[in-house]
Amino acid sequence: MGTDVSRSGKDITTTQPWQALEAHKPILAERHLRELFADNPSRGRELTIDVGDLHIDYSKHRIDAETIELLLSLAREANLEQHRDDMFAGVHINTSEDRAVLHTALRLPADAQLVVDGQDVVHDVHEVLDAMGAFTDKLRSGEWKGHTGKPITDVVNIGIGGSDLGPVMVYGSLRHYVDTDIRCHFVSNVDPADMVAALADLDAEQTLFIVASKTFTTLETLTNAAAAKRWLLDKLGAGEDAVAKHFAAVSTNAEAVSNFGIDPVNMFGFWDWVGGRYSVDSAIGLSVMAAIGKERFAEFLGGFHTVDTHFRTQPLESNAPVLLALIGFWYSNFWDAQSRVVLPYSNDMARFAAYLQQLTMESNGKSVKADGEHVTTDTGEIFWGEPGTNGQHAFYQLLHQGTRLVPADFIGFANPTDDLPTADDTGSMHDLLMSNYFAQTKVLAFGKTADEIRAEGVDEKVVPHKVMPGNRPSTSILASELTPAVIGQLIALYEHQVFVEGTLWGINSFDQWGVELGKTQAKELLGVITDAEAPAQQADSSTDALVRWYRAERGR
Ligand code: F6P
């Protein structure tokens, strides 16, 4: 496959649609969502889109038909369709690393066909899935025994970034689909507290570690894996031969896995065309498969594929990830919005915002375009959030009455995985949760005017404090239930938004050079902070003084 030729290289801000959007924005800035809804009473039904099991309402955004038209023209100026097709076909659109970007191939059905760089990708993907299925079947049935002959009760996934955030988020989200007694734990941080806390209640005889690292060079993961190995061998009083029964690996680096002492038979591979933050649907999801089984894992992959197909085939104007990305782009680049808040009204999705932070910010936090030129626009929406209703009692005050524009994505479900009666025994706690979901999107959009507040007899001095300005945008995403397929659909919905925004910004969303320098400097500084004889001089007076302070505290 050739290299990427779909990028136009043009400065998007010099295009006609960009300039038209600049002229259009002040007109919309004058308009309140109350007016937009009054002008078109069916707006709330029209500005919706269904994809897979997801029902998406984007009517509460500061857009009109012209905004969408102009944003779509901008997407066409950026060759979005061609670039999308290139990604799906395996063109090396990750130009700085000369790699294809094919996470979408991880969820292709077994009878699909895709040959990239001479490799039958679908065959390779399903070969690994089959091996994962056979391995997790043995774990789940108890056929797999530890070194002392006991079955596995606890799986510890050791990984960081994309080798942690996806599995931990999906495991939490699919709590109700865990149909085995095996419990999963996740250790990521090089802070020893993470490993110590995870191992506290575990029985080495019945614990299996999955070392998940695409490169198998990541300091945190290798350090934690070595600590886990030491713990295991100490507890078992065994030699290296015990490792084979208690360690599996997920990596693209077979040699390093074998050097660590893990039997290559227990290594599950993936490929350089899967970015770490796009890898939960690769072998990196092994712990999830151990928890929910291979059939449910297939449903999870099916969810991604549904959205992939929609993204690949739907015209831009009825394409959910495209529309949501264009709206995000609209606020980022024309309204100075710095961030987007993601609010799942599902406690099981507690780690969803953290997951999205890596997916979106490691992908689009760039200030140089794919062609090496400096960007001329803001890039990279900052993602953050907490599950509702916790966020309501923390930061929603700023969302409602603060000076910053923070577009919000609300995610909710009709049928809960858990429900309990309300305090008065007459209702459902889930309905209570969802009444908050609907209320918050409504209040953000429509607010409450000073006159409405006065009409309630509120003291004039307090009126300004109680005014709810409204006109604050949100997307509402609803699904019937939080199933394996739905979580796959949600992830793919955001993956493709990242792609669309990255394409409009002209950046390469699939490398992450910005994380490298910190890693190498940490290695250098380790020598300085641990060796009293080493000169503390680090060329800047701040780091120098901090290192001296730390060394003194550590008695060095
Ligand atoms: O933070 C940088 C990064 O390379 C991420 O992109 C990646 O997900 C993470 O480190 C872990 O990398 P690996 O899976 O190779 O250990």
Side-chain angles (χ1 to χ4, degrees), residues 247-262:
F247 275 83
V250 180
S251 187
T252 57
N253 186 347
E255 197 185 336
V257 168
S258 158
N259 289 342
F260 182 84
I262 296 177

Side-chain angles (χ1 to χ4, degrees), residues 18 133 226 316 483 530 534:
W18 180 285
L316 299 188
T483 62
T530 52

